[in-house]
Amino acid sequence: MTAQQKLYEGKAKILYTTDDPDILLTYFKDDATAFNAQKRGSIQGKGAVNCAISSHLFRQLEAKGISTHFIDQASANEMRVRMVKILPLEVVVRNIAAGSLCKQTGLALGTPISPPLVEFYYKNDDLGDPLLTRDRLLLMGLATAEQVEQLQSMALRINEILIDFFQHCGITLVDFKLEFGLDAEQKILLADEISPDTCRLWDQGEADVARRVMDKDRFRQDLGEVESAYQRVMQRVLANPVSL
Ligand code: 5GP
């Protein structure tokens, strides 16, 4: 199966059609952006690293009963995925306070969050991906009440599975962003990617607040050694087999 037409190009990935209308090819790019694309750059080898990490994590989630768009990894930078209609929502799960939560609430970086927080953001670059309330989300018709319930419970279950997986890698899962889509039968599937671009990951072997960062915050905050941090995440993730 080969890529045919470019369907969509995002900041980090390109989606291609294939000869099967139900299957798309996702190409992971080395391009990196932050702060709603105000900061732009490239992280060498990022595409292949994120493709490998995402593929492995999707396999792990599927093994634990989560329905995802993942079919298989087609090449170093390519993943075959089921065609879905993406919901214009970013679902963020937080286990430890960081990033925009600290900025908007004054909570100190590193404050444990229990039970985990599930937040919905409107995926809209022109509006700067604003935080939504449940009522605003329903008002805007971005999802139904039933879908919101399902997204919330899927996000929490995904969080449990990923916390456990990353624990085996010596990595703390601080927070992460998910995207979901609807298939032809209106079934909700986890979509997009799960990688150091979309998660905050702290190395459990490092106490220093800068050195422990293994994710895109290294790029956002100019902490340096971005490529090697992503590589270390990949090595640890791939060293832990998918378990049932
Ligand atoms: P925050 O709201 O603190 O900026 O982000 C929370 C988590 O979601 C972080 O792990 C961050 O990487 C991820 N996240 C939130 N919005 C986006 C986005 O637009 N793109 C990407 N790649 N990750 C995001």
Side-chain angles (χ1 to χ4, degrees), residues 95-96 166-167 170-175 200-204:
N95 297 304
I96 294 175
F166 279 118
Q167 186 66 30
I171 293 173
T172 299
L173 179 61
V174 175
D175 59 27
R200 285 199 173 90
L201 303 168
W202 291 352
D203 187 346
Q204 291 175 354

Side-chain angles (χ1 to χ4, degrees), residues 4 16 18 22 30 89 101 104 161 164 185 219:
Q4 292 192 332
Y16 294 97
T18 66
D22 295 326
D30 286 354
L89 292 171
L101 181 69
Q104 292 171 9
I161 298 165
D164 188 49
E185 280 79 46
F219 171 75

Side-chain angles (χ1 to χ4, degrees), residues 22 58 61-62 65-71 80-87 89 91 147 150-151 154-155 158 178-194:
D22 295 326
F58 278 128
L61 291 167
E62 286 276 355
I66 301 291
S67 300
T68 80
H69 71 157
F70 178 77
I71 299 172
R80 289 196 316 147
V81 299
R82 276 174 260 279
M83 161 84 104
V84 292
K85 189 168 178 288
I86 292 284
L87 295 167
L89 292 171
V91 183
Q147 287 170 337
Q150 209 189 325
L151 291 170
M154 280 180 85
I158 291 164
L178 301 172
E179 294 186 25
F180 293 88
L182 300 177
D183 71 7
E185 280 79 46
Q186 303 299 298
K187 182 180 171 181
I188 297 180
L189 302 185
L190 176 65
D192 196 49
E193 67 177 285
I194 305 174

Side-chain angles (χ1 to χ4, degrees), residues 90 92 94 98-101 121 129 175-177 197-200 216 220:
E90 294 187 346
V92 169
R94 300 181 189 271
S100 72
L101 181 69
Y121 292 81
D129 295 347
D175 59 27
F176 57 99
K177 183 259 303 181
D197 269 10
T198 61
C199 303
R200 285 199 173 90
K216 198 168 157 188
R220 294 187 186 103

Side-chain angles (χ1 to χ4, degrees), residues 1-3 15-16 18-20 22-28 51 55 58 68-75 77-83:
M1 179 171 299
T2 51
L15 268 184
Y16 294 97
T18 66
D19 44 25
D20 182 332
D22 295 326
I23 297 178
L24 300 178
L25 204 65
T26 306
Y27 178 89
F28 286 71
C51 186
S55 295
F58 278 128
T68 80
H69 71 157
F70 178 77
I71 299 172
D72 58 17
Q73 187 177 352
S75 73
N77 285 63
E78 292 171 318
M79 192 189 271
R80 289 196 316 147
V81 299
R82 276 174 260 279
M83 161 84 104

